[in-house]
Amino acid sequence: MDIRVQEAPFDLGREASAFAARQTGMGAIVTFTGIVRDLGGTLDHMQIEHYPGMTEKALRAIAEDAHARWDLGGSLVIHRHGRLGPDDMIMMVATSSRHRKDAFEAAMFLMDYLKSRAPFWKKEVAADAEGWVAARDEDEDALRDWQR
Amino acid sequence: MDVLYFAWVRERIGLPREKVETSAATVGDLVAELRAREARYDAAFSDLTALRVAVDQELSDFDAPLSGAREVAFFPPMTGG
């Protein structure tokens, strides 16, 4: 498990290649990347706040859960905070497994849980308005699906 | 203990963290003490269903005991990813 919380950008290709190079005997690697969207066409930037200390612990606990549930070789979570512009990469996860199903499901699980259980908060800032992004009911529903 | 606020809770109360002298037995008791202080606290904690709490950096509940807790954080539902 490799957990990184950082303000700096990351290089998706380099991180994916480095992750792949650390795996042995794995038949599948899945990566997911989250991008800042400008839904209304007015976004100037997004400000991501987090809870230093708890963030790393929460991400590690989520990754440990994923490793307990699926047959994983490795996992990587990178999540940025601070100021991000439209189309900037916010975060990425990578999972490896001997089988693609485990790699895909574990990546989905990591995404669903870090959306609602890792202490990050997004604020959207436009030229004349700003507001905190509200959590969505669907995000909680997704967690319930994993608990069945 | 250290009390931390994040996102709009931080903005509404006007500070990110503070030391609080308290003998509150539970998170809920601490919230009641904070609300009694000033209108900005009262406003921030007016709807607990819109808030989440962590005790010593673990997600917790408003009826959780505070014995021995060093750090309590209040924040809105998280929006990572």
Side-chain angles (χ1 to χ4, degrees):
Chain A
M1 286 181 297
D2 186 1
I3 308 290
R4 281 181 260 160
V5 180
Q6 62 187 50
E7 192 157 2
F10 58 88
D11 182 324
L12 172 62
R14 186 174 306 206
E15 295 296 345
S17 296
F19 178 77
R22 289 195 294 273
Q23 314 306 314
T24 47
M26 295 296 115
I29 288 175
V30 167
T31 68
F32 172 87
T33 313
I35 312 283
V36 177
R37 284 183 302 172
D38 180 7
L39 287 175
T42 58
L43 183 72
D44 180 74
H45 67 275
M46 188 173 262
Q47 195 71 36
I48 300 180
E49 182 171 333
H50 80 115
Y51 183 173
M54 179 174 168
T55 309
E56 293 80 358
K57 275 192 218 172
L59 291 176
R60 186 158 296 279
I62 294 166
E64 280 170 0
D65 272 1
H67 278 261
R69 289 181 68 141
W70 287 279
D71 177 21
L72 297 182
S75 62
L76 165 70
V77 178
I78 301 176
H79 203 302
R80 295 178 62 196
H81 59 90
R83 184 184 171 121
L84 285 83
D87 302 321
D88 282 355
M89 292 180 194
I90 303 177
M91 52 81 59
M92 72 171 288
V93 304
T95 54
S96 73
S97 178
R98 289 180 292 172
H99 310 289
R100 69 172 184 269
K101 188 165 181 284
D102 285 55
F104 270 115
E105 286 185 1
M108 284 282 287
F109 174 91
L110 287 173
M111 285 309 308
D112 285 345
Y113 270 82
L114 71 83
K115 241 185 150 45
S116 317
R117 291 292 182 271
F120 290 98
W121 300 275
K122 296 190 184 110
K123 183 188 234 183
E124 292 173 332
V125 182
D128 55 353
E130 60 174 45
W132 292 97
V133 174
R136 301 179 315 156
D137 291 340
E138 301 94 282
D139 296 336
E140 283 298 316
D141 294 344
L143 300 197
R144 266 193 293 279
D145 289 343
W146 289 115
Q147 287 155 13
R148 277 188 197 141
Chain B
M1 74 179 57
D2 290 311
V3 180
L4 286 69
Y5 312 107
F6 292 96
W8 61 254
V9 185
R10 170 180 56 72
E11 291 179 339
R12 218 162 280 185
I13 289 173
L15 73 176
R17 65 189 299 154
E18 60 185 324
K19 291 255 184 223
V20 174
E21 291 295 328
T22 180
S23 51
T26 66
V27 173
D29 294 345
L30 173 64
V31 168
E33 283 182 13
L34 292 170
R35 290 189 72 171
R37 280 179 161 190
E38 283 179 51
R40 59 195 166 113
Y41 289 92
D42 194 36
F45 289 105
S46 61
D47 179 10
L48 292 187
T49 64
L51 290 179
R52 301 291 179 268
V53 59
V55 175
D56 288 333
Q57 303 190 351
E58 296 275 353
L59 276 179
S60 188
D61 296 304
F62 284 91
D63 54 3
L66 281 180
S67 56
R70 295 183 309 266
E71 187 172 300
V72 177
F74 296 102
F75 41 79
M78 296 156 274
T79 52

